Amino acid sequence: MSSNPDVVYIVRDEAFFTTAALADHILENANSYHALAEADKFPGRDRMAFSIMLTMFDEMGKLLHMVRECEKTAKADHPDVRVVDFHNNSLNGRRGLGQILEEIRTIESASVNLGFSKAVITEEPEFLKEDYSSLDGRSRYFQIDKIMRKDEYIPTIDIMNRYAAVIERNAIAAGNYLHDLGKALGLWVSLELSPAEKNGKVRYL
């Protein structure tokens, strides 16, 4: 571990298992998100769903970065994995969101090029116009300042569902890639969770 709290050095084998555990944790958060998102609407539902979504953005940013670092270290046959900005939740959240928006827009652009009449390109979400680092606190905790209590920036459940679908797909893909990459190193890396079939609101078991 470096003296800098935002730079983490992990033994390569442990880094692979840690990264897979992070992907599992994202899927656990997806379970919590869907349990809220699919419930009948009640005061505070969208606010708490958005708070979970912010955590998923953060962890997705970390996951994508860690997968790349694991890959580089494996190909270079280096014993340690170096992860920069691991604890920077705001930066990782923006990275994760950026990846998600890029994937959504790629699909939408393809739909537009294919001539689908209802195809549109997703715009920047309203919450990116806010102070990103304060969003989680504003969503979860009561603020005395009434201006801070305004929550028009919170996306609709339909939009958050689209984000969740991309996050979950990336988490599963990361686990599969780590599994294949790990085999070349003599490691058996796999996700603990898998998609649940016909189990109500719980998506991954």
Side-chain angles (χ1 to χ4, degrees):
M1 181 74 72
S2 167
S3 59
N4 185 339
D6 225 14
V7 178
V8 180
Y9 291 91
I10 315 174
V11 176
R12 184 179 65 190
D13 292 2
E14 181 183 345
F16 270 76
F17 293 114
T18 299
T19 306
L22 177 57
D24 274 321
H25 196 256
I26 290 172
L27 298 179
E28 289 178 356
N29 281 324
N31 281 337
S32 299
Y33 167 77
H34 287 295
L36 277 172
E38 295 172 15
D40 292 337
K41 187 165 184 177
F42 55 86
R45 183 199 67 170
D46 292 6
R47 179 173 55 81
M48 290 309 299
F50 182 59
S51 181
I52 296 172
M53 182 65 59
L54 288 172
T55 300
M56 293 168 72
F57 289 149
D58 169 28
E59 293 191 337
M60 179 53 57
K62 290 179 182 178
L63 178 67
L64 295 173
H65 183 53
M66 289 180 71
V67 168
R68 287 193 294 268
E69 293 305 312
C70 283
E71 178 185 45
K72 288 194 300 185
T73 306
K75 291 180 177 179
D77 195 24
H78 195 275
D80 298 320
V81 172
R82 181 176 185 267
V83 184
V84 180
D85 296 318
F86 183 83
H87 299 289
N88 191 331
N89 295 339
S90 179
L91 176 60
N92 283 309
R94 286 180 174 275
R95 284 174 173 170
L97 174 61
Q99 175 69 25
I100 292 158
L101 289 175
E102 181 180 349
E103 292 187 31
I104 290 174
R105 287 167 177 165
T106 297
I107 295 172
E108 291 170 341
S109 295
S111 297
V112 170
N113 292 335
L114 290 172
F116 292 105
S117 59
K118 294 184 179 180
V120 295
I121 305 300
T122 297
E123 298 179 354
E124 290 289 310
E126 285 296 316
F127 61 84
L128 276 184
K129 299 175 183 177
E130 306 288 326
D131 174 15
Y132 192 92
S133 62
S134 72
L135 285 176
D136 188 43
R138 290 173 63 183
S139 299
R140 288 195 294 158
Y141 301 109
F142 177 76
Q143 302 286 344
I144 294 177
D145 186 348
K146 291 182 179 180
I147 294 176
M148 296 294 284
R149 294 293 299 164
K150 292 181 179 179
D151 57 3
E152 291 88 351
Y153 58 85
I154 294 178
T156 65
I157 287 295
D158 286 344
I159 291 175
M160 286 194 281
N161 284 343
R162 298 179 69 191
Y163 295 156
V166 179
I167 291 171
E168 293 161 47
R169 185 169 65 243
N170 274 285
I172 293 171
N176 292 335
Y177 181 66
L178 287 170
H179 175 76
D180 294 339
L181 189 62
K183 285 195 296 186
L185 302 173
L187 301 175
W188 184 262
V189 183
S190 63
L191 295 178
E192 296 292 330
L193 300 184
S194 58
E197 296 183 3
K198 298 180 180 179
N199 199 58
K201 295 180 176 62
V202 178
R203 300 298 183 92
Y204 303 95
L205 292 174

